[in-house]
Amino acid sequence: MPSHYCRANSSRQYLEPVFQTMAQLYKEYVSKCELDSLKCLSRRVFDSVFLKQNLSFFHPKKDQCDVCCGHKVGNINDTEIAIHRDRKDKARKEKDTDKELAIEGKTCHVFTQDVQSVKLAPYLQASAIYYKTKLSVHNFTMCNLSTREACCYWFDESNGSLKASVFASCIVDQLQIILKRKLLPVILYSDGCCAQNRNSILSNALLRLSIDKKVIITQKFIEKGHTQMECDSVHSAIECRLKGKEIYLPSQYANITKTARDNPMPYESRLLEFSFFTNFSKDLIYKTIRPGRKFGDPTVTDLRGLKYKPDGTIWYSLNFDEPLQPLPQPPMKITNIKPLEELPKIFSERLPISQRKYKDLQDLKAVIPSNCHSYYDELPYKN
């Protein structure tokens, strides 16, 4: 399966969570060789081949911070950890304050957003499935802190990639729905992942929506390593529902999501097709959201907040307790900006998977019900 948390700067592939250690993997390999009457490699050679293929073990994101752990073992000094903890506390306080405003005063909409760890289809208990590559399935979740509503946008790799425009399409869709109900300022909380949340493509999408709806939209970024948010509880509830269940098709993830919360307000779940996603990377109003111009100036990763205004400008802050100021780059004139509905779609057809993955999925039809076979037969693949 592909990298999830490091996809912006890593091409490494990960073994699915069935295997946790090299010893466990090697034991399974030896058993497979004995079953097929083959001579197995030594552990040393096996480890060497594993590394050469740029493989690693998949470990779900933990609620542990690299900076805090580094300080514990003496690799981070007291000054650095003090700055880090101060940023963490300010971010938490900021979110709590905005959440109270949304719940009590009804003066704004506040959302948290994140992507769930990669899912696979099919996902079964059969041992034959260990040796086959499977379809990656993704869930982007937005949680409304004032209403406790949550919407999960599910899509598989044949219908959408992990591009910024894909996530921007989900966010804009959800905000358009909520702004139709009540036109109030919007505040979005997320981690600082640049490929997903902190980039010029998403910023331009939110700015277009701000201009279109004549409403202020604000992005705020939680401190790295301390990004636990309300949307994580949605993912946790889904994981609990998935325990012990066999998945034959991506659509089952979307259906199970609807049953993950038993109270009168079930999670909304949508299964997306390629035609849903808008291309926000064209005709950019701001070419970059970097808050500096020259070497040594602040960069995108230093941003803690972005505010999008209906007059077509973006304002930024580097700390939660600092006043906002406009980005130094000049924006496009507001009279030249295309409305949202005129922007093109990203994909004109479904995305092809690799030929090897297609073959593996065909082999896996032997362990899934026959009424699911046509879905895998119709998957596009590269020759």
Side-chain angles (χ1 to χ4, degrees), residues 168-169 172-173 176 180 204-205 207-214 275-280 282-283 285 337-346:
S169 298
V172 168
D173 177 76
Q176 285 179 320
K180 279 183 181 178
N204 277 272
L207 183 57
R208 286 179 185 275
L209 184 61
S210 173
I211 296 168
D212 184 59
K213 299 296 183 181
K214 294 180 173 53
S275 57
F276 171 83
F277 303 106
T278 300
N279 190 351
F280 290 103
K282 304 296 183 182
D283 299 318
I285 304 169
I337 298 171
K338 285 184 180 179
L340 287 167
E341 59 272 13
E342 291 185 13
L343 295 177
K345 298 297 182 181
I346 312 178

Side-chain angles (χ1 to χ4, degrees), residues 1 4-5 17 58-61 114-120 137-139 154 235 239:
M1 55 196 296
H4 175 68
Y5 298 107
F58 175 82
H59 297 289
K61 184 170 63 174
D114 203 1
V115 180
Q116 190 171 356
S117 58
V118 182
K119 299 299 166 197
L120 301 172
V137 187
H138 308 284
N139 169 28
W154 287 94
H235 298 161
E239 296 288 356

Side-chain angles (χ1 to χ4, degrees), residues 1-10 12 14 58-63 114-119 162 191-196 224 227 232 235 239:
M1 55 196 296
S3 167
H4 175 68
Y5 298 107
C6 306
R7 61 180 175 270
N9 52 14
S10 173
R12 181 170 294 183
Y14 290 79
F58 175 82
H59 297 289
K61 184 170 63 174
K62 303 293 183 182
D63 292 334
D114 203 1
V115 180
Q116 190 171 356
S117 58
V118 182
K119 299 299 166 197
L162 297 178
D191 60 37
C193 173
C194 289
Q196 181 180 309
K224 181 181 178 182
T227 58
D232 295 329
H235 298 161
E239 296 288 356

Side-chain angles (χ1 to χ4, degrees), residues 180-347:
K180 279 183 181 178
R181 295 189 211 162
K182 207 167 193 179
L183 195 63
L184 293 173
V186 175
I187 302 174
L188 303 172
Y189 279 91
S190 68
D191 60 37
C193 173
C194 289
Q196 181 180 309
N197 302 312
R198 194 159 49 178
N199 58 74
S200 60
I201 294 174
L202 175 56
S203 290
N204 277 272
L206 293 176
L207 183 57
R208 286 179 185 275
L209 184 61
S210 173
I211 296 168
D212 184 59
K213 299 296 183 181
K214 294 180 173 53
V215 66
I216 292 175
I217 300 173
T218 305
Q219 269 189 295
K220 297 182 181 182
F221 306 107
I222 305 292
E223 181 67 12
K224 181 181 178 182
H226 300 274
T227 58
Q228 303 88 354
M229 294 176 287
E230 287 77 1
C231 55
D232 295 329
S233 66
V234 179
H235 298 161
S236 178
I238 294 171
E239 296 288 356
C240 289
R241 274 306 170 187
L242 288 172
K243 282 183 180 177
K245 288 186 170 59
E246 294 195 329
I247 299 295
Y248 306 121
L249 297 169
S251 58
Q252 287 179 263
Y253 285 115
N255 292 332
I256 288 173
T257 298
K258 295 175 183 178
T259 67
R261 184 162 65 177
D262 295 325
N263 69 22
M265 194 185 297
Y267 299 137
E268 184 183 351
S269 179
R270 298 182 61 182
L271 186 65
L272 306 180
E273 296 183 347
F274 71 90
S275 57
F276 171 83
F277 303 106
T278 300
N279 190 351
F280 290 103
S281 64
K282 304 296 183 182
D283 299 318
L284 298 178
I285 304 169
Y286 278 84
K287 302 297 183 184
T288 177
I289 57 169
R290 187 186 172 192
R293 290 179 177 273
K294 59 183 186 298
F295 179 79
D297 284 352
T299 62
V300 172
T301 54
D302 295 314
L303 292 169
R304 288 295 172 270
L306 288 167
K307 179 170 285 189
Y308 309 97
K309 296 188 174 184
D311 63 2
T313 61
I314 301 177
W315 294 59
Y316 75 94
S317 66
L318 303 179
N319 286 294
F320 287 113
D321 54 0
E322 290 183 359
L324 291 161
Q325 50 189 319
L327 285 176
Q329 292 78 18
M332 183 193 299
K333 288 183 179 180
I334 197 167
T335 53
N336 299 330
I337 298 171
K338 285 184 180 179
L340 287 167
E341 59 272 13
E342 291 185 13
L343 295 177
K345 298 297 182 181
I346 312 178
F347 314 114

Side-chain angles (χ1 to χ4, degrees), residues 12-272:
R12 181 170 294 183
Q13 297 287 303
Y14 290 79
L15 272 69
E16 55 190 275
V18 172
F19 302 106
Q20 301 291 330
T21 64
M22 187 63 80
Q24 182 189 7
L25 180 63
Y26 183 72
K27 182 180 178 181
E28 181 66 32
Y29 160 72
V30 172
S31 299
K32 175 69 173 171
C33 288
E34 290 174 352
L35 185 66
D36 295 343
S37 301
L38 297 172
K39 183 180 178 180
C40 63
L41 300 171
S42 69
R43 172 65 188 273
R44 182 178 179 180
V45 176
F46 182 83
D47 289 4
S48 175
V49 172
F50 183 84
L51 292 174
K52 284 181 180 177
Q53 293 191 11
N54 200 26
L55 299 171
S56 187
F57 293 97
F58 175 82
H59 297 289
K61 184 170 63 174
K62 303 293 183 182
D63 292 334
Q64 289 188 339
C65 172
D66 292 342
V67 178
C68 294
C69 291
H71 178 258
K72 189 181 294 185
V73 297
N75 294 330
I76 302 292
N77 62 43
D78 291 343
T79 302
E80 290 176 301
I81 195 67
I83 295 172
H84 172 72
R85 288 172 178 168
D86 181 58
R87 285 179 174 173
K88 175 200 73 173
D89 293 339
K90 285 178 180 177
R92 290 289 169 199
K93 184 179 179 181
E94 189 84 3
K95 185 165 76 69
D96 290 342
T97 301
D98 288 337
K99 183 176 180 179
E100 288 178 12
L101 288 172
I103 294 173
E104 296 175 6
K106 306 293 183 183
T107 56
C108 60
H109 301 295
V110 181
F111 288 85
T112 60
Q113 60 193 49
D114 203 1
V115 180
Q116 190 171 356
S117 58
V118 182
K119 299 299 166 197
L120 301 172
Y123 188 77
L124 312 171
Q125 302 302 316
S127 60
I129 205 166
Y130 295 167
Y131 311 103
K132 305 295 182 181
T133 54
K134 292 165 278 294
L135 204 64
S136 295
V137 187
H138 308 284
N139 169 28
F140 182 75
T141 301
M142 294 191 68
C143 186
N144 189 327
L145 302 192
S146 59
T147 64
R148 297 187 65 246
E149 294 173 297
C151 184
C152 297
Y153 292 87
W154 287 94
F155 58 94
D156 67 71
E157 63 179 289
S158 72
N159 280 294
S161 61
L162 297 178
K163 292 182 177 181
S165 283
V166 167
F167 300 115
S169 298
C170 298
I171 295 168
V172 168
D173 177 76
Q174 185 62 204
L175 296 187
Q176 285 179 320
I177 292 171
I178 199 70
L179 290 172
K180 279 183 181 178
R181 295 189 211 162
K182 207 167 193 179
L183 195 63
L184 293 173
V186 175
I187 302 174
L188 303 172
Y189 279 91
S190 68
D191 60 37
C193 173
C194 289
Q196 181 180 309
N197 302 312
R198 194 159 49 178
N199 58 74
S200 60
I201 294 174
L202 175 56
S203 290
N204 277 272
L206 293 176
L207 183 57
R208 286 179 185 275
L209 184 61
S210 173
I211 296 168
D212 184 59
K213 299 296 183 181
K214 294 180 173 53
V215 66
I216 292 175
I217 300 173
T218 305
Q219 269 189 295
K220 297 182 181 182
F221 306 107
I222 305 292
E223 181 67 12
K224 181 181 178 182
H226 300 274
T227 58
Q228 303 88 354
M229 294 176 287
E230 287 77 1
C231 55
D232 295 329
S233 66
V234 179
H235 298 161
S236 178
I238 294 171
E239 296 288 356
C240 289
R241 274 306 170 187
L242 288 172
K243 282 183 180 177
K245 288 186 170 59
E246 294 195 329
I247 299 295
Y248 306 121
L249 297 169
S251 58
Q252 287 179 263
Y253 285 115
N255 292 332
I256 288 173
T257 298
K258 295 175 183 178
T259 67
R261 184 162 65 177
D262 295 325
N263 69 22
M265 194 185 297
Y267 299 137
E268 184 183 351
S269 179
R270 298 182 61 182
L271 186 65
L272 306 180

